[in-house]
């Protein structure tokens, strides 16, 4: 089944297109690949970026918050950078360009998800407590991309580099991975001062 990529808000896309058209924004970007490219650039694969602020055992589905929309910036058929937008009081605005290992890792995870027999809505989930980014495959393909409930049957695919002990690019149901993540952030035993 195809992977459903939600449509980004039009102002988010317009702000990225404006930044790509701005010599100042591109020149000042901290991405050498973006500054050195000669051909046309296009923002593709818009993914909502949700943040799970706190990992804790709970009986209810964990809630996330929508923090950004991320676009992969392509040149000649390959991703060379990414652009994030952020929600401001005036709406969605360009935030910054960046590059790094998550670009290739995101593309790989998306290709793997597209081969799945199950239809999912694609999102990204950032888990700051673990310094972890995942491709979030949401089971309800018609759900609002801004919605932030992690359903137990949703699938998380950790992107590389993943935290120690969590394999990158291995799909996990939320119901299975959440307990592992909870153990990772649990406080260790207190040292006694004897």
């Amino acid at each position: 089944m195809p992977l459903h990529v939600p449509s980004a808000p039009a102002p988010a896309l317009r702000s990225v297109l404006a930044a790509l058209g701005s010599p100042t924004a591109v020149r000042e970007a901290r991405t050498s690949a973006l500054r050195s490219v000669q051909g046309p650039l296009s923002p593709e694969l818009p993914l909502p970026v949700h943040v799970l602020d706190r990992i804790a055992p709970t009986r209810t589905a964990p809630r996330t918050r929508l923090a950004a929309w991320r676009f992969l910036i392509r040149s000649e058929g390959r991703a060379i950078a990414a652009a994030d937008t952020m929600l401001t009081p005036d709406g969605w605005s360009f935030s910054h360009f960046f590059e790094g290992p998550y670009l290739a890792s995101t593309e790989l995870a998306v290709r793997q998800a597209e081969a799945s027999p199950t239809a999912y809505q694609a999102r990204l989930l950032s888990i700051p407590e673990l310094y972890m980014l995942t491709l979030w495959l949401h089971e309800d393909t018609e759900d609002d991309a801004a919605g932030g409930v992690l359903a137990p049957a949703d699938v998380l695919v950790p992107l590389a580099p993943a935290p120690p002990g969590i394999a990158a690019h291995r799909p996990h149901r939320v119901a299975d991975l959440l307990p592992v993540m909870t153990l990772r952030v649990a406080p260790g035993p207190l040292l006694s001062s004897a």
Side-chain angles (χ1 to χ4, degrees):
M1 307 243 11
L3 187 63
H4 295 267
V5 177
S7 296
L13 176 57
R14 281 193 305 268
S15 72
V16 170
L17 289 169
L20 285 171
S22 164
T24 304
V26 171
R27 188 173 52 251
E28 292 179 2
R30 293 186 176 138
T31 59
S32 59
L34 195 58
R35 288 191 310 267
S36 63
V37 72
Q38 297 298 315
L41 300 168
S42 64
E44 299 177 9
L45 192 65
L47 294 172
V49 180
H50 290 259
V51 176
L52 180 60
D53 287 313
R54 177 131 167 74
I55 302 170
T58 178
R59 289 194 172 109
T60 61
R63 295 198 62 81
T64 68
R65 63 180 169 81
L66 179 62
W69 277 86
R70 178 166 298 163
F71 298 80
L72 293 184
I73 307 301
R74 293 191 186 280
S75 175
E76 299 178 357
R78 66 182 186 92
I80 61 165
D84 271 5
T85 62
M86 63 183 178
L87 190 57
T88 68
D90 294 325
W92 288 100
S93 299
F94 171 74
S95 174
H96 62 281
F97 292 116
F98 63 95
E99 59 186 52
Y102 286 131
L103 297 178
S105 189
T106 299
E107 285 189 305
L108 176 58
V110 166
R111 280 195 308 273
Q112 289 172 330
E114 287 172 338
S116 170
T118 306
Y120 290 107
Q121 183 189 85
R123 302 172 176 192
L124 291 173
L125 179 65
S126 173
I127 306 156
E129 284 181 291
L130 294 176
Y131 301 101
M132 182 175 171
L133 184 65
T134 70
L135 178 65
W136 172 8
L137 301 173
H138 187 54
E139 67 177 344
D140 185 350
T141 61
E142 300 302 316
D143 205 3
D144 179 4
V149 176
L150 278 166
D154 286 356
V155 174
L156 299 177
V157 182
L159 301 181
I166 297 177
H169 297 286
R170 183 168 168 243
H172 302 271
R173 285 182 49 242
V174 166
D176 298 331
L177 187 58
L178 198 58
V180 173
M181 293 187 312
T182 301
L183 291 174
R184 289 257 180 228
V185 296
L190 294 175
L191 299 175
S192 65
S193 56

